[in-house]
Amino acid sequence: MSVGLPLAAAPSPEELLAEPARAPSGRADLVRSLFTYTPVSLASHLLGAAVVVVVMRGVVPDERLWWWCAVFGVLWVARLALAFAFSRRRHPTPLDAWPRWQAAWNTLTLLAAGLWGLAAWWFYGWGDALQKTALLMVIFSYCAGAVPLLVGQQRIFLAFASLCFLPSVAVMLLQPSTSDRGLALVMVLIFGLTLLLGRNYQRAFHRVIELKARTDHLLVRLQQEKATADAARRAAEVANRAKTQFFAAASHDLRQPLHALGLFAEALRGKSQDEEVVQLVASINDSVDALEGLFSELLDITRLDSGGVQVSPRHVAMQEVFRRLRLHFEPTAFEKGLSLRFRGGRHAAHADPVLVERILRNLLANAIRYTDDGGVLVAARPRGDRLLLQVWDSGRGIAAADQDRIFEEFFQVEPHEVPADQRKGLGLGLAIVQRLARLIEAPLSLRSAPGRGSVFGVSVPLGRMAAVDPPAAVPARRGGPTLAGRCIVMVEDDLAVRSGLEVLLKGWGAQLHSFDGLPALRAWLADRAPDAPAPDLLIADYRLGQQDSGIDAIRLLRAAVGAALPAVVVTGSVMSHLEQEAQAEDFHLLMKPVAPNRLRAMINFKLARG
């Protein structure tokens, strides 16, 4: 795709150098320079004419002197009028107007040169030596002064010099005095030196024109390349946005069946006591978790590369961040027989809570994945005006040779030594951590030794607890699988996911009201008895039909049964800023596919809090 002016539209340096006054840009610059110096030229000519009149008055016949002055005055006024007309021309000047301005200026200038030659022819024979010298000096001064002005027009300069000098040489040769004839030879020599001076100026002018031509040529190429680069950048931005939107849409669409698969698998486990079936269900859930990790890593990298992550720092209590991390990772750590501890929740950080939590999530997921025995500690420790967030593990550790590479994309430490059930992901988790740390300007550190575990740290500004709402107490985990006596409202437009959730929640003993969208929910609320007991929990998908959302379902149901209704929103879209909406609307967010144990932990937490 070509953008901007083609190179052929600009005059080449060779064209400008060969005919500088004929090239469009060269002619325009030349004409502008001619008219720029016209006021100075007119003033100097007027001064020279006054000198000639003063020197020759009373020597030359008055009639001849005043005739010359009259012609000079008419010519001087004509040149002044031309300069005034040029200054009043319309902009931009058409290309075909520049030659006419140049021809008019050259004509009047040559007439002025002829008038000075006529002054030498008429006045030289009447004066004495002083008067003749003064006359010749005036004429030579104007001829020499025209060198830089007419250097771009070699033939016009030659004509100008000839009209000034040749009448002077001719009238001196016609004088009977030998000194006058000798002076004629001197004038011929001066004429030759003037032409040589003009030639040197001409060469210098050619070099200037050549440099300007090359500059103009490069400028056009630069503009063309800049336009091409801008077009390529815009195309890349469009492609990047399209890629991000594609990943987001693909993630949402693929997470739906994965989410349903996990729910059906868990429902199957609850209905079968066969050990082989239980193992198959566990394998299905592991595969679903691995795919969810791949989607999250790819989308995080895409968002960071496209600049789609905005930093919004505020004072945040670490206890609140730790509570969410505990809720998310405690089941995973328990399954592996690891202890998961949190220290320093009484401190606060001044940073973007979503990005800080994402950094700790990735570090914590890595720590649990690569730790087989012992435990994981997440700590917050003040260090001056900074808060050091650390994730300690008692895992395998990282060799010194690999510590500089683990933050690279797609790099995984010794994958052949990692058990098959832990070879998950693309090796993007720590790369995402590093990019997020750079985004929030938080230095990242690592200490590790093989066989002795690892400590990852990130330093953020220390916050103020006074500016943070006190964290809610973490309720004790409820024992037992039953939800008997609990009324749960579910809004989900995907048939497979809705069916899986219905089987799972009813298997846990819940009384369930299931709807495929807001219209069905409104109809149920309209038919519901005023004294009917309020639901205990709402579970809604974020994207519903007809441009509705789970947040709309929360508002609708809370308006009917009370603002204290606990709510959980389940979504497969990770590109939106749902974390901020969750805080504003007081609901918790679960990302699809949701592992059944995580769903159960969240339900227990919300019911206990409610």
Side-chain angles (χ1 to χ4, degrees):
M1 179 177 63
S2 63
V3 182
L5 294 173
L7 292 183
S12 67
E14 292 75 13
E15 291 173 343
L16 286 176
L17 187 58
E19 292 290 344
R22 295 184 182 180
S25 61
R27 185 187 297 275
D29 292 338
L30 177 63
V31 174
R32 289 192 191 96
S33 66
L34 294 177
F35 279 95
T36 298
Y37 288 104
T38 295
V40 177
S41 178
L42 288 176
S44 60
H45 276 242
L46 187 61
L47 178 61
V51 171
V52 170
V53 170
V54 170
V55 171
M56 293 298 177
R57 187 177 181 182
V59 178
V60 178
D62 290 343
E63 181 179 355
R64 179 175 296 192
L65 182 61
W66 296 125
W67 267 110
W68 184 89
C69 290
V71 175
F72 176 87
V74 172
L75 186 58
W76 192 90
V77 171
R79 295 183 66 191
L80 179 64
L82 180 65
F84 181 77
F86 182 81
S87 66
R88 303 280 293 181
R89 74 192 186 283
R90 63 190 181 96
H91 298 279
T93 303
L95 291 178
D96 59 353
W98 293 112
R100 295 197 298 270
W101 288 111
Q102 182 181 5
W105 193 93
N106 287 340
T107 299
L108 293 180
T109 300
L110 291 179
L111 289 175
L115 190 61
W116 285 111
L118 180 63
W121 182 267
W122 272 8
F123 303 151
Y124 184 82
W126 295 90
D128 55 20
L130 178 61
Q131 293 164 335
K132 292 177 180 179
T133 302
L135 179 62
L136 293 178
M137 286 182 62
V138 171
I139 295 173
F140 173 73
S141 298
Y142 290 118
C143 187
V147 171
L149 193 59
L150 297 174
V151 69
Q153 306 180 86
Q154 190 171 9
R155 288 177 296 179
I156 299 298
F157 172 70
L158 182 60
F160 184 91
S162 300
L163 289 173
C164 285
F165 273 108
L166 294 183
S168 303
V169 174
V171 73
M172 283 186 281
L173 290 175
L174 294 175
Q175 299 299 317
S177 172
T178 305
S179 59
D180 289 331
R181 294 175 183 175
L183 188 57
L185 296 177
V186 174
M187 289 298 293
V188 171
L189 180 60
I190 292 175
F191 178 68
L193 292 176
T194 303
L195 295 181
L196 181 61
L197 179 63
R199 182 181 178 184
N200 292 336
Y201 266 96
Q202 184 76 17
R203 290 178 178 176
F205 179 75
H206 272 262
R207 286 194 293 270
V208 172
I209 288 295
E210 181 182 8
L211 291 175
K212 185 180 184 303
R214 292 184 185 277
T215 302
D216 292 342
H217 193 67
L218 291 175
L219 179 60
V220 172
R221 293 194 60 180
L222 181 61
Q223 290 174 341
Q224 182 185 23
E225 292 175 2
K226 181 179 181 299
T228 303
D230 289 343
R233 177 181 53 80
R234 288 192 294 269
E237 290 174 351
V238 171
N240 204 14
R241 287 194 297 268
K243 178 187 69 174
T244 302
Q245 293 170 358
F246 168 77
F247 273 118
S251 171
H252 179 271
D253 294 342
L254 290 175
R255 285 171 188 266
Q256 289 287 96
L258 287 175
H259 182 47
L261 178 62
L263 297 175
F264 282 124
E266 183 63 23
L268 178 62
R269 174 160 42 190
K271 292 182 177 297
S272 176
Q273 301 299 322
D274 189 296
E275 184 66 25
E276 186 176 355
V277 173
V278 173
Q279 291 179 356
L280 288 174
V281 170
S283 298
I284 291 173
N285 287 333
D286 287 342
S287 299
V288 171
D289 289 343
L291 283 174
E292 192 274 337
L294 293 177
F295 289 144
S296 297
E297 288 180 352
L298 286 172
L299 284 166
D300 282 342
I301 286 290
T302 300
R303 292 175 65 191
L304 289 170
D305 287 343
S306 63
V309 179
Q310 302 296 325
V311 181
S312 302
R314 64 178 180 85
H315 296 280
V316 55
M318 294 310 302
Q319 183 64 39
E320 184 68 16
V321 176
F322 289 169
R323 181 184 62 81
R324 291 193 293 267
L325 293 174
R326 182 189 297 276
L327 187 65
H328 185 87
F329 288 101
E330 199 169 40
T332 307
F334 177 79
E335 288 177 2
K336 293 194 68 174
L338 303 176
S339 66
L340 178 59
R341 296 174 296 161
F342 294 86
R343 297 289 184 269
R346 65 185 182 278
H347 301 298
H350 185 257
D352 189 308
V354 176
L355 301 185
V356 168
E357 183 177 339
R358 185 57 177 161
I359 291 173
L360 293 177
R361 276 176 181 265
N362 281 21
L363 293 176
L364 192 50
N366 255 29
I368 294 176
R369 177 180 299 175
Y370 295 109
T371 300
D372 301 317
D373 188 25
V376 178
L377 169 67
V378 182
R381 299 174 177 176
R383 293 291 185 270
D385 60 349
R386 309 284 293 183
L387 185 67
L388 180 61
L389 307 177
Q390 293 178 310
V391 177
W392 298 67
D393 68 67
S394 57
R396 301 179 183 88
I398 305 169
D402 294 324
Q403 291 183 15
D404 291 335
R405 299 194 58 197
I406 60 171
F407 295 104
E408 297 177 4
E409 291 89 346
F410 310 110
F411 179 79
Q412 292 176 300
V413 178
E414 299 178 353
H416 57 281
E417 296 183 3
V418 178
D421 63 336
Q422 295 182 21
R423 291 183 213 150
K424 303 174 182 178
L426 298 174
L428 295 175
L430 292 179
I432 293 171
V433 167
Q434 186 180 57
R435 295 190 186 193
L436 289 174
R438 289 175 179 171
L439 188 64
I440 64 175
E441 298 180 352
L444 191 63
S445 61
L446 166 64
R447 297 199 314 271
S448 183
R452 300 183 62 183
S454 304
V455 183
F456 287 87
V458 59
S459 176
V460 298
L462 191 64
R464 298 192 305 272
M465 287 298 295
V468 187
D469 294 333
V474 180
R477 297 182 63 188
R478 296 173 58 92
T482 182
L483 295 178
R486 296 291 188 171
C487 179
I488 297 178
V489 175
M490 180 180 65
V491 185
E492 172 62 67
D493 62 338
D494 186 273
L495 177 60
V497 174
R498 189 169 69 254
S499 300
L501 275 173
E502 288 175 352
V503 172
L504 188 63
L505 293 175
K506 287 180 179 178
W508 289 344
Q511 178 187 353
L512 186 65
H513 297 281
S514 178
F515 307 100
D516 61 357
L518 259 61
L521 178 61
R522 290 192 184 96
W524 176 73
L525 289 174
D527 296 336
R528 179 173 170 271
D531 57 347
D536 295 300
L537 178 67
L538 169 65
I539 300 176
D541 187 29
Y542 179 69
R543 292 186 180 180
L544 301 174
Q546 301 178 356
Q547 297 182 344
D548 294 327
S549 71
I551 299 176
D552 298 324
I554 293 174
R555 294 169 179 167
L556 178 63
L557 192 55
R558 283 178 175 173
V561 304
L565 175 69
V568 176
V569 172
V570 184
T571 180
S573 174
V574 298
M575 300 305 295
S576 55
H577 298 285
L578 286 178
E579 293 85 356
Q580 288 82 357
E581 293 187 72
Q583 293 177 2
E585 298 289 342
D586 188 25
F587 65 85
H588 276 73
L589 195 65
L590 286 177
M591 302 301 301
K592 295 179 182 179
V594 180
N597 59 345
R598 287 173 56 195
L599 177 63
R600 179 55 194 267
M602 179 61 74
I603 291 175
N604 285 339
F605 170 76
K606 297 295 290 186
L607 292 178
R609 186 180 182 187

